[in-house]
Amino acid sequence: MSTDAAVKKPKTVFSQSDERVDWRKRKAEIKEAQRQRKEAKLIKQLEKQKQQEAAEREKLELEQSQNKKGRAYTVSVALPGSVLDNAQSTELRTYLAGQIARACVVFCVDEIVVFDEQGEDVKSVEGEFKGVGKKGHACIQLARILQYLECPQYLRKWFFPKHQDLQYAGLLNPLDSPHHMRIDDESEYREGIVLDRPTKQGQGSLVNCGMRKEVRIDKQLQSGLRVTVRLNKTQNQESKLCKAVVVAPSVPRTDGGLYWGYSVRLASCLSAVFTESPYEEGYDVTVGTSERGSNVDQTTLPPFKHLLVVFGGLQGLEASVDADQNLDVTDPSVLFDLYLNTCPGQGSRTIRTEEAILVSMAALREKITAAFSGASNGLLKS
C-alpha cells in the first residue's frame, strides 16, 4: 500500500435521496429567513415612518398653536341704563353713551348688557327717551346709541332709520373698530347686508360689504340680514363680483384674532343679566365693582370662558339689588365670584360709571390676559 493511499481521508457517502431532501429543506429555511428579514425591515421602516409623521404632526400642531391669533374667551360688561338720567341735556346724554361705547371698544368688550335697575320690563329698543325721570326709556336710548356706534358706517343707513334718540349720534367720536372698514381696506373678514337682488338657481345671495364690488356669498339668505363674511384669498380681478363665505360673527375673534365689535343686550333687571346670558353655559366668572369690594391689586382671575363685569349706577349695585324682586339678598357681593374695588384710595367721593369702566377694565386687563394664558396651557378647552 502506497503512502498516498494511506493518508487519503475516507469520503462521506450520502444517498441521492438524502442529499435531495436536505437541499430542499435548506432552501426552504433560507427563503423563510429572507422573508422574515424583509418583514422585519419593512416593520422597522413603517415604525420609523410613523415616528417621523408623529414628529411632523406635533411640530405642525405646535406651530399652529403658536401662530394662532384668535382668542376663545369673551368679556361682557353690564351697566344700568339710568346712567343717562344723570346727564342734563339730550346732547350730554348722547355724549355719555358715546363715552361708554369708546371705553368698551378700547378694552375689546364683546357684549354690553344694559339693565334697568328699577326692575321694569324693558326688552325692546322701540321707544323714545322722554327726558330725565322717565325710568326705563334711558335703557332703550342707551342701547340704541350703542348699537348705532357699533355698526359699520356703510351699513347704518339700512339698519338705523332717522330717530329722535340718534339726533346727535353723528357728532360722537367714531369707534374706529377693526370691522369699521374703509372702501379700499384689505381684510379677510367684512360685515355686510344681504341685498334684495334676484339670483340664479344654485348661486348665493349678493352682499354689500362696503367695497367697490358687491360680494357673492355661498348661501341664499333673506335680504336685509347683516352677515359676517370671509373673503376668498384668491379673487378674479376681472370679475364684477367678489366671492366669500358666510361665517359666524365670532369667527374673526376666534380664528383671526380680530376684535369684531360688541353685541348689545337689554335686561329687565339685575338678575336677568345672569339668567338670560346668550352663552349656553352662562358666565363662568362674574365680577362686581364697588368701593366696598376687595382691592383689585391683590386679586387674580381664575381661568374662564366668559367673563362678566357689572357696574352700578348712581347709587351703586346696592340700589339694583334692592329693586330686583327676584333677589332675596341685600348684600350685592354674594351675587358675584369676585367683588372688587378697582380704584382703591380714590380722591373723589364718587366715580361716574363711564369713568369706572375705564378704570376697572384697565385694572383687569393684565389679569384677564394672565387668566387666558393659563387657560390656553390646558386649564381651559375652547
Side-chain angles (χ1 to χ4, degrees):
M1 182 179 293
S2 65
T3 307
D4 294 339
V7 298
K8 285 183 178 179
K9 297 180 180 179
K11 294 182 178 180
T12 304
V13 180
F14 298 98
S15 66
Q16 188 175 0
S17 60
D18 290 342
E19 187 176 349
R20 185 170 60 252
V21 171
D22 290 343
W23 174 248
R24 288 177 178 175
K25 185 177 181 181
R26 178 61 180 167
K27 191 175 180 180
E29 291 176 352
I30 292 173
K31 287 185 177 180
E32 180 65 21
Q34 289 177 346
R35 187 182 65 81
Q36 291 179 357
R37 283 197 298 270
K38 287 182 179 179
E39 288 183 354
K41 186 177 180 180
L42 182 59
I43 292 173
K44 188 175 181 180
Q45 289 177 348
L46 290 175
E47 290 179 351
K48 186 176 180 180
Q49 184 178 356
K50 287 181 179 179
Q51 291 177 356
Q52 290 177 349
E53 291 178 354
E56 291 177 359
R57 186 164 54 250
E58 290 178 0
K59 183 179 179 181
L60 181 61
E61 290 176 355
L62 180 61
E63 291 177 353
Q64 289 178 347
S65 63
Q66 290 176 346
N67 295 331
K68 190 174 181 181
K69 302 176 183 178
R71 61 179 174 92
Y73 69 90
T74 65
V75 178
S76 300
V77 163
L79 72 157
S82 61
V83 296
L84 294 191
D85 294 337
N86 198 33
Q88 289 76 27
S89 65
T90 306
E91 296 88 340
L92 290 178
R93 283 193 291 272
T94 304
Y95 185 73
L96 175 57
Q99 284 182 298
I100 294 172
R102 284 281 304 174
C104 290
V105 167
V106 166
F107 291 101
C108 300
V109 172
D110 302 294
E111 180 195 26
I112 303 178
V113 187
V114 181
F115 66 91
D116 187 357
E117 65 177 352
Q118 300 300 319
E120 296 182 4
D121 189 11
V122 179
K123 293 186 179 180
S124 171
V125 292
E126 295 302 324
E128 297 181 2
F129 188 81
K130 302 296 184 180
V132 175
K134 297 294 182 180
K135 307 300 182 183
H137 293 289
C139 299
I140 297 173
Q141 186 186 30
L142 176 57
R144 181 177 278 111
I145 295 175
L146 291 176
Q147 288 179 333
Y148 175 84
L149 290 176
E150 186 276 336
C151 183
Q153 290 88 334
Y154 56 86
L155 296 179
R156 289 175 180 171
K157 62 181 179 181
W158 278 288
F159 294 109
F160 295 93
K162 187 176 180 180
H163 195 280
Q164 183 179 353
D165 288 347
L166 303 174
Q167 182 179 1
Y168 298 101
L171 302 177
L172 296 177
N173 297 321
L175 301 185
D176 205 19
S177 182
H179 67 300
H180 288 195
M181 303 285 181
R182 279 73 170 177
I183 188 170
D184 292 321
D185 285 351
E186 294 185 2
S187 176
E188 183 178 3
Y189 303 94
R190 270 188 176 264
E191 291 289 294
I193 181 173
V194 180
L195 300 175
D196 187 11
R197 299 276 185 84
T199 56
K200 296 181 180 179
Q201 186 69 23
Q203 292 185 343
S205 302
L206 293 177
V207 177
N208 183 347
C209 292
M211 304 168 63
R212 297 189 184 276
K213 298 179 180 180
E214 293 177 349
V215 176
R216 173 86 67 186
I217 58 176
D218 58 328
K219 297 178 180 179
Q220 277 279 1
L221 298 177
Q222 182 181 352
S223 61
L225 291 178
R226 176 176 169 177
V227 293
T228 304
V229 302
R230 179 167 55 202
L231 297 170
N232 295 357
K233 293 184 179 180
T234 56
Q235 299 284 352
N236 185 0
Q237 300 299 329
E238 298 179 356
S239 175
K240 296 182 179 180
L241 299 173
C242 294
K243 292 186 178 181
V245 295
V246 178
V247 296
S250 60
V251 169
R253 168 179 59 85
T254 57
D255 292 355
L258 298 172
Y259 173 63
W260 213 243
Y262 54 78
S263 61
V264 181
R265 176 165 66 91
L266 280 169
S268 58
C269 55
L270 178 60
S271 58
V273 174
F274 303 93
T275 58
E276 298 175 1
S277 171
Y279 307 110
E280 184 177 353
E281 300 175 356
Y283 305 104
D284 43 4
V285 175
T286 56
V287 178
T289 59
S290 172
E291 60 180 0
R292 301 174 182 84
S294 305
N295 192 331
V296 68
D297 299 329
Q298 301 171 0
T299 305
T300 57
L301 291 178
F304 62 87
K305 285 185 179 179
H306 306 294
L307 172 69
L308 172 67
V309 184
V310 183
F311 298 91
L314 301 177
Q315 301 175 352
L317 287 171
E318 289 80 6
S320 302
V321 171
D322 293 340
D324 195 333
Q325 299 178 358
N326 299 321
L327 298 176
D328 296 330
V329 299
T330 56
D331 184 7
S333 63
V334 300
L335 301 176
F336 304 96
D337 299 316
L338 297 170
Y339 199 56
L340 302 178
N341 181 1
T342 56
C343 188
Q346 64 191 58
S348 175
R349 291 189 184 92
T350 58
I351 296 180
R352 299 172 64 91
T353 304
E354 65 273 20
E355 298 168 342
I357 295 175
L358 285 170
V359 172
S360 302
M361 298 309 296
L364 293 172
R365 185 180 63 85
E366 290 187 1
K367 301 180 185 300
I368 291 173
T369 305
F372 178 66
S373 63
S376 63
N377 289 331
L379 296 176
L380 174 67
K381 294 182 180 179
S382 60

Coordinates of all heavy atoms in Angstrom, one line a residue, residues 154 181-192 205-218 227-237 241-247 251-252 258 260:
Y154 N -71.0 102.2 6.7 CA -71.6 102.0 5.4 C -72.9 101.2 5.5 O -73.6 101.0 4.5 CB -70.6 101.3 4.4 CG -70.0 100.0 4.9 CD1 -70.7 98.8 4.7 CD2 -68.8 100.0 5.5 CE1 -70.1 97.6 5.1 CE2 -68.2 98.8 6.0 CZ -68.9 97.6 5.7 OH -68.3 96.5 6.2
M181 N -64.5 99.2 8.2 CA -63.6 99.2 7.1 C -63.9 100.4 6.2 O -65.0 100.9 6.1 CB -63.8 98.0 6.2 CG -63.5 96.7 7.0 SD -61.8 96.4 7.3 CE -61.9 94.8 8.2
R182 N -62.8 100.9 5.7 CA -62.9 101.9 4.6 C -63.1 101.1 3.3 O -62.9 99.9 3.2 CB -61.6 102.8 4.5 CG -61.5 103.9 5.5 CD -61.3 103.5 6.9 NE -61.0 104.6 7.8 CZ -60.8 104.4 9.1 NH1 -60.8 103.2 9.6 NH2 -60.5 105.4 9.9
I183 N -63.4 101.9 2.2 CA -63.8 101.2 1.0 C -62.7 100.4 0.4 O -62.9 99.3 -0.2 CB -64.4 102.2 0.0 CG1 -65.0 101.5 -1.2 CG2 -63.3 103.2 -0.4 CD1 -65.7 102.5 -2.2
D184 N -61.4 100.8 0.5 CA -60.3 100.1 -0.1 C -59.5 99.4 0.9 O -58.4 98.9 0.6 CB -59.4 101.2 -0.8 CG -60.1 101.8 -2.0 OD1 -60.8 101.0 -2.7 OD2 -59.9 103.0 -2.3
D185 N -59.9 99.2 2.2 CA -59.2 98.5 3.2 C -59.2 97.0 2.8 O -60.2 96.4 2.4 CB -59.8 98.6 4.6 CG -59.5 100.0 5.2 OD1 -58.6 100.7 4.6 OD2 -60.0 100.3 6.2
E186 N -58.1 96.3 3.0 CA -58.0 94.9 2.7 C -58.1 94.1 4.0 O -57.4 94.4 5.0 CB -56.6 94.6 2.0 CG -56.5 95.2 0.6 CD -55.2 94.7 0.0 OE1 -54.5 93.9 0.6 OE2 -55.0 95.2 -1.2
S187 N -59.0 93.2 4.0 CA -59.2 92.4 5.2 C -59.8 91.0 4.8 O -60.6 90.9 3.8 CB -60.2 93.1 6.2 OG -60.5 92.3 7.3
E188 N -59.5 90.0 5.6 CA -60.1 88.7 5.3 C -61.6 88.6 5.6 O -62.3 87.9 5.0 CB -59.3 87.6 6.1 CG -59.8 86.2 5.8 CD -59.0 85.2 6.6 OE1 -58.1 85.6 7.4 OE2 -59.2 84.0 6.4
Y189 N -62.0 89.4 6.6 CA -63.4 89.4 7.0 C -64.0 90.8 6.8 O -63.3 91.8 6.8 CB -63.5 89.1 8.5 CG -62.9 87.7 8.9 CD1 -61.6 87.7 9.3 CD2 -63.6 86.6 8.7 CE1 -61.0 86.4 9.7 CE2 -63.0 85.3 9.1 CZ -61.7 85.3 9.5 OH -61.2 84.1 9.8
R190 N -65.3 90.8 6.6 CA -66.1 92.0 6.4 C -67.5 91.8 6.9 O -68.0 90.7 6.9 CB -66.1 92.5 5.0 CG -64.9 93.5 4.7 CD -65.0 94.1 3.3 NE -64.0 95.0 3.0 CZ -64.1 96.3 3.1 NH1 -65.2 96.9 3.6 NH2 -63.1 97.1 2.8
E191 N -68.1 92.9 7.3 CA -69.5 93.0 7.6 C -70.3 93.4 6.4 O -69.9 94.3 5.7 CB -69.8 93.9 8.8 CG -69.3 93.4 10.1 CD -70.0 92.2 10.6 OE1 -71.2 92.3 11.0 OE2 -69.4 91.1 10.7
G192 N -71.5 92.9 6.2 CA -72.3 93.3 5.0 C -73.8 93.1 5.3 O -74.2 92.5 6.3
S205 N -76.5 84.6 -2.4 CA -77.0 85.9 -2.4 C -75.9 86.9 -2.7 O -74.7 86.6 -2.5 CB -77.7 86.2 -1.1 OG -78.8 85.3 -0.9
L206 N -76.3 88.1 -3.0 CA -75.4 89.2 -3.2 C -75.4 90.1 -1.9 O -76.4 90.3 -1.3 CB -75.7 90.1 -4.3 CG -75.6 89.5 -5.7 CD1 -76.1 90.5 -6.8 CD2 -74.2 89.1 -6.0
V207 N -74.2 90.5 -1.5 CA -74.0 91.2 -0.2 C -73.2 92.5 -0.5 O -72.2 92.5 -1.2 CB -73.2 90.4 0.8 CG1 -73.0 91.1 2.1 CG2 -74.0 89.1 1.1
N208 N -73.7 93.6 0.1 CA -72.9 94.8 0.1 C -72.0 94.9 1.3 O -72.5 94.9 2.5 CB -73.9 96.0 0.1 CG -73.2 97.4 0.1 OD1 -72.0 97.5 0.2 ND2 -73.9 98.4 -0.2
C209 N -70.7 94.8 1.1 CA -69.7 94.8 2.2 C -69.0 96.1 2.3 O -67.8 96.2 2.8 CB -68.8 93.7 2.1 SG -69.6 92.1 2.4
G210 N -69.5 97.2 1.6 CA -68.8 98.5 1.7 C -67.6 98.5 0.8 O -66.6 99.3 1.0
M211 N -67.5 97.6 -0.2 CA -66.4 97.6 -1.2 C -66.8 98.1 -2.5 O -68.0 98.4 -2.7 CB -65.9 96.1 -1.3 CG -65.5 95.5 0.0 SD -65.3 93.7 -0.2 CE -63.9 93.6 -1.3
R212 N -65.9 98.3 -3.4 CA -66.2 98.8 -4.7 C -67.0 97.7 -5.5 O -67.7 98.1 -6.5 CB -64.9 99.2 -5.5 CG -64.2 100.3 -4.8 CD -63.0 100.8 -5.6 NE -62.3 101.8 -4.9 CZ -62.6 103.1 -4.8 NH1 -63.7 103.6 -5.5 NH2 -61.9 104.0 -4.2
K213 N -66.8 96.5 -5.2 CA -67.6 95.4 -5.8 C -68.5 94.8 -4.8 O -68.2 94.7 -3.6 CB -66.6 94.3 -6.3 CG -65.7 94.8 -7.4 CD -64.8 93.6 -7.8 CE -63.8 94.1 -8.9 NZ -62.9 92.9 -9.3
E214 N -69.6 94.3 -5.3 CA -70.5 93.5 -4.5 C -70.0 92.1 -4.3 O -69.1 91.7 -5.0 CB -71.9 93.5 -5.1 CG -72.6 94.8 -5.1 CD -74.0 94.8 -5.8 OE1 -74.3 93.7 -6.4 OE2 -74.7 95.8 -5.7
V215 N -70.4 91.4 -3.3 CA -69.9 90.1 -2.9 C -70.9 89.0 -3.1 O -72.1 89.2 -2.7 CB -69.4 90.2 -1.4 CG1 -68.9 88.8 -1.0 CG2 -68.3 91.2 -1.2
R216 N -70.5 88.0 -3.7 CA -71.3 86.8 -3.9 C -71.0 85.8 -2.8 O -69.9 85.3 -2.7 CB -71.1 86.1 -5.2 CG -71.8 84.8 -5.4 CD -73.2 85.0 -5.9 NE -73.3 85.5 -7.3 CZ -74.4 85.9 -7.9 NH1 -75.6 85.7 -7.3 NH2 -74.4 86.4 -9.1
I217 N -72.0 85.4 -1.9 CA -71.7 84.5 -0.8 C -72.2 83.1 -1.2 O -72.7 82.9 -2.3 CB -72.5 84.9 0.4 CG1 -74.0 85.1 0.2 CG2 -71.9 86.2 1.0 CD1 -74.8 85.4 1.4
D218 N -71.9 82.1 -0.4 CA -72.1 80.7 -0.7 C -73.5 80.3 -0.3 O -73.8 79.1 -0.5 CB -71.1 79.9 0.0 CG -71.1 80.0 1.5 OD1 -71.4 81.2 2.0 OD2 -70.8 79.1 2.3
V227 N -74.6 90.2 7.9 CA -73.8 89.0 7.9 C -72.4 89.3 8.0 O -71.9 90.4 7.6 CB -74.1 88.1 6.6 CG1 -75.5 87.6 6.5 CG2 -73.8 89.0 5.3
T228 N -71.6 88.3 8.5 CA -70.2 88.4 8.5 C -69.6 87.4 7.5 O -70.0 86.3 7.4 CB -69.6 88.0 9.9 OG1 -70.2 88.8 10.9 CG2 -68.1 88.2 10.0
V229 N -68.8 87.9 6.6 CA -68.3 87.1 5.5 C -66.7 87.0 5.6 O -66.1 87.9 6.1 CB -68.7 87.6 4.1 CG1 -70.2 87.7 4.0 CG2 -68.1 89.0 3.8
R230 N -66.3 85.9 5.0 CA -64.8 85.7 4.9 C -64.5 85.6 3.4 O -64.9 84.7 2.7 CB -64.3 84.4 5.6 CG -62.8 84.1 5.4 CD -62.4 83.1 6.4 NE -63.1 81.8 6.2 CZ -63.2 80.9 7.1 NH1 -62.6 81.0 8.2 NH2 -64.0 79.8 6.8
L231 N -63.8 86.6 2.9 CA -63.5 86.7 1.5 C -62.5 85.7 1.1 O -61.6 85.3 1.8 CB -62.9 88.1 1.2 CG -63.9 89.3 1.5 CD1 -63.1 90.6 1.4 CD2 -65.0 89.3 0.5
N232 N -62.7 85.1 -0.1 CA -61.7 84.2 -0.7 C -60.4 84.8 -0.8 O -60.3 86.0 -1.2 CB -62.2 83.6 -2.0 CG -63.5 82.8 -1.9 OD1 -64.0 82.6 -0.7 ND2 -64.0 82.4 -3.0
K233 N -59.3 84.0 -0.6 CA -58.0 84.6 -0.6 C -57.6 85.0 -2.1 O -56.8 85.9 -2.3 CB -57.0 83.6 0.0 CG -57.1 83.4 1.5 CD -56.1 82.5 2.0 CE -56.3 82.4 3.5 NZ -55.2 81.5 4.1
T234 N -58.1 84.2 -3.0 CA -57.8 84.5 -4.4 C -59.1 85.0 -5.1 O -60.1 84.3 -5.1 CB -57.3 83.2 -5.1 OG1 -58.3 82.1 -5.0 CG2 -56.0 82.7 -4.5
Q235 N -59.0 86.2 -5.6 CA -60.1 86.8 -6.3 C -59.7 87.1 -7.7 O -58.6 87.4 -8.1 CB -60.5 88.1 -5.6 CG -60.9 87.9 -4.1 CD -62.3 87.4 -4.0 OE1 -63.1 87.2 -5.0 NE2 -62.7 87.1 -2.8
N236 N -60.7 86.9 -8.6 CA -60.6 87.2 -10.0 C -60.7 88.7 -10.2 O -61.8 89.3 -10.0 CB -61.6 86.5 -10.9 CG -61.4 86.7 -12.3 OD1 -60.4 87.4 -12.8 ND2 -62.2 86.1 -13.2
Q237 N -59.6 89.4 -10.4 CA -59.6 90.9 -10.5 C -60.5 91.4 -11.6 O -61.0 92.5 -11.6 CB -58.2 91.4 -10.7 CG -57.2 91.0 -9.6 CD -57.7 91.6 -8.2 OE1 -58.3 92.6 -8.1 NE2 -57.4 90.8 -7.2
L241 N -67.7 90.7 -9.5 CA -68.1 90.4 -8.1 C -66.9 89.7 -7.3 O -66.1 89.1 -8.0 CB -69.3 89.4 -8.1 CG -70.6 89.8 -8.7 CD1 -71.6 88.7 -8.8 CD2 -71.2 91.0 -8.0
C242 N -66.9 89.9 -6.0 CA -66.0 89.2 -5.2 C -66.7 87.9 -4.6 O -68.0 87.9 -4.5 CB -65.5 90.1 -4.0 SG -64.5 91.4 -4.5
K243 N -66.0 86.9 -4.2 CA -66.6 85.7 -3.7 C -66.2 85.6 -2.2 O -65.1 86.0 -1.8 CB -66.1 84.5 -4.5 CG -66.6 84.4 -5.9 CD -66.2 83.1 -6.6 CE -66.8 83.1 -8.0 NZ -66.4 81.8 -8.7
A244 N -67.1 85.1 -1.4 CA -66.9 85.0 0.0 C -67.8 83.9 0.6 O -68.8 83.4 -0.1 CB -67.2 86.3 0.7
V245 N -67.6 83.5 1.8 CA -68.4 82.5 2.5 C -68.9 83.2 3.8 O -68.2 84.0 4.4 CB -67.7 81.2 2.9 CG1 -67.3 80.5 1.6 CG2 -66.5 81.5 3.7
V246 N -70.1 82.8 4.2 CA -70.7 83.4 5.4 C -70.2 82.6 6.6 O -70.1 81.4 6.6 CB -72.3 83.3 5.4 CG1 -72.9 83.8 6.7 CG2 -72.8 84.0 4.2
V247 N -69.8 83.4 7.6 CA -69.2 82.8 8.9 C -69.9 83.4 10.1 O -70.6 84.4 10.0 CB -67.7 83.0 9.0 CG1 -66.9 82.3 7.9 CG2 -67.4 84.5 9.1
V251 N -66.2 84.2 14.5 CA -65.0 83.7 13.8 C -63.9 84.6 13.6 O -62.7 84.3 13.9 CB -65.5 83.1 12.4 CG1 -64.2 82.7 11.6 CG2 -66.4 81.9 12.6
P252 N -64.1 85.9 13.3 CA -63.0 86.8 13.3 C -62.2 86.9 14.6 O -61.0 87.1 14.6 CB -63.6 88.2 12.9 CG -64.8 87.8 12.2 CD -65.3 86.6 12.8
L258 N -59.1 89.1 15.6 CA -59.6 90.5 15.4 C -60.6 90.8 16.4 O -61.5 90.0 16.7 CB -60.1 90.7 14.0 CG -59.1 90.5 12.9 CD1 -59.9 90.5 11.5 CD2 -58.0 91.5 12.9
W260 N -64.0 92.3 16.9 CA -65.1 92.4 15.9 C -66.3 93.1 16.5 O -67.4 92.8 16.2 CB -65.4 91.1 15.3 CG -65.9 91.1 13.9 CD1 -67.1 90.8 13.4 CD2 -65.1 91.6 12.8 NE1 -67.1 91.0 12.0 CE2 -65.9 91.5 11.6 CE3 -63.8 92.0 12.6 CZ2 -65.4 91.8 10.4 CZ3 -63.3 92.3 11.4 CH2 -64.1 92.2 10.2

